[in-house]
Amino acid sequence: MKVPVGVLLSGSGTNLQALMDACAAPSFPAEIRLVISNRADAYGLERARLAGIPTLCVPHRGRSRADFEAELVAAFQGAGVQWICCAGFMRVLTPAFLDAFPNRVLNIHPALLPAFPGLDGQGQAHAAGVRIAGATVHLVDAGTDTGPILCQGAVPALPADDRDALQQRILAMEHRLYPMALRWAAEGRIQLTGRQVQIDLLPGEALALWEAAG
Ligand code: GRF
C-alpha cells in the first residue's frame, strides 16, 4: 500500500506537480491524499483538482496561529496522512502542528541552506552574487528553514542571470529533489540522529545533485 501524504502550499504548485507526477507511477511508494492551501487563489489547488486529489482551503487571516494549525492538523489526520510536504507554503509552522507529525514534515527551500533562509532565497542568492546556487529538502523544525537537511541540489549562477533566470534553474532542480526525498520518506529510509540525517541509499542514488548549465 502506498504511504498517504498531505501537501501544504500557498502558490503555483509546481513542486506539487512534480510530486503528483512521481506518485502517478505505480511503483512510487507514496500517494497524495489531501492538498491544503492557506490561499484560495493558489493555482496549486487547481492542479490537485485536475489530478482528482481532494483539496481544502484553510485561510490563516483573522484568526490565531493555534486555531489555524489545529484545523490543518485535524484535516490531515482525518485524511490519514503520515507525511506532510510543504511545497511553497508561506507560513511558519509551530510545534502545535509539528508535534502532530514528529519529524515527518518535509520542506523544500530554494537555496543551499544554511545560506539564504527565509523569504526569496533565490533573490538573496542573486543579490549576493554567488556562483553556485541550489535547493534543499529538509525536515521542518520550529525555526525558519533550520531543520535537518536530507538532500541538496546545486546549479550554477551565471553572470548573465537575472533573478528570474536563476529562479528557473533552481526550480528545475527542486523538481528533481523533492520526489527523491519523498520516496526515501515513504520507504522508511530516513533516520535522524540529532541533526544528522542518515538515508539508506540505493545504488545510483545521491544526497547531492549537480546540474551544469545547459
Ligand atoms: C519554491 O521555490 C519552493 O522552494 C519555495 O516556494 C516555491 C514554490 O514554488 N518554498 P511552487 O509553488 O512549487 O511552484
Side-chain angles (χ1 to χ4, degrees):
M1 205 193 82
K2 291 194 176 207
V3 172
V5 172
V7 174
L8 276 170
L9 54 74
S10 305
S12 100
T14 65
N15 277 289
L16 167 69
Q17 190 69 55
L19 294 174
M20 291 190 308
D21 291 349
C23 288
S27 63
F28 196 81
E31 68 174 321
I32 299 171
R33 285 271 182 86
L34 178 62
V35 175
I36 301 181
S37 171
N38 61 314
R39 297 179 53 109
D41 61 354
Y43 186 66
L45 288 176
E46 182 63 15
R47 291 179 190 272
R49 283 184 209 113
L50 290 169
I53 295 172
T55 63
L56 203 57
C57 176
V58 179
H60 66 276
R61 281 190 196 284
R63 62 200 301 198
S64 70
R65 203 177 279 274
D67 194 41
F68 171 63
E69 291 190 358
E71 189 173 344
L72 299 180
V73 168
F76 281 135
Q77 286 180 341
V81 309
Q82 292 178 20
W83 282 84
I84 308 290
C85 291
C86 298
F89 180 58
M90 302 305 283
R91 308 297 301 169
V92 170
L93 292 167
T94 74
F97 182 90
L98 298 172
D99 290 350
F101 304 97
N103 293 321
R104 281 174 170 252
V105 182
L106 300 174
N107 182 44
I108 186 146
H109 182 73
L112 294 172
L113 293 172
F116 312 129
L119 290 178
D120 194 19
Q122 311 95 328
Q124 293 183 57
H126 182 258
V130 300
R131 299 301 189 206
I132 297 176
T136 304
V137 179
H138 63 94
L139 291 169
V140 177
D141 66 11
T144 300
D145 305 321
T146 52
I149 290 171
L150 271 71
C151 57
Q152 296 187 297
V155 300
L158 302 178
D161 284 345
D162 59 12
R163 184 207 162 279
D164 291 350
L166 183 59
Q167 176 184 18
Q168 287 309 313
R169 198 172 304 116
I170 293 170
L171 193 60
M173 175 56 78
E174 293 182 38
H175 300 159
R176 292 175 60 192
L177 288 174
Y178 217 174
M180 188 172 96
L182 180 57
R183 171 183 286 280
W184 297 334
E187 291 179 346
R189 293 199 272 139
I190 297 176
Q191 266 201 0
L192 188 62
T193 312
R195 287 190 52 83
Q196 299 299 314
V197 177
Q198 305 290 336
I199 314 267
D200 190 8
L201 288 180
L202 300 175
E205 289 184 320
L207 297 172
L209 303 181
W210 165 251
E211 184 73 64

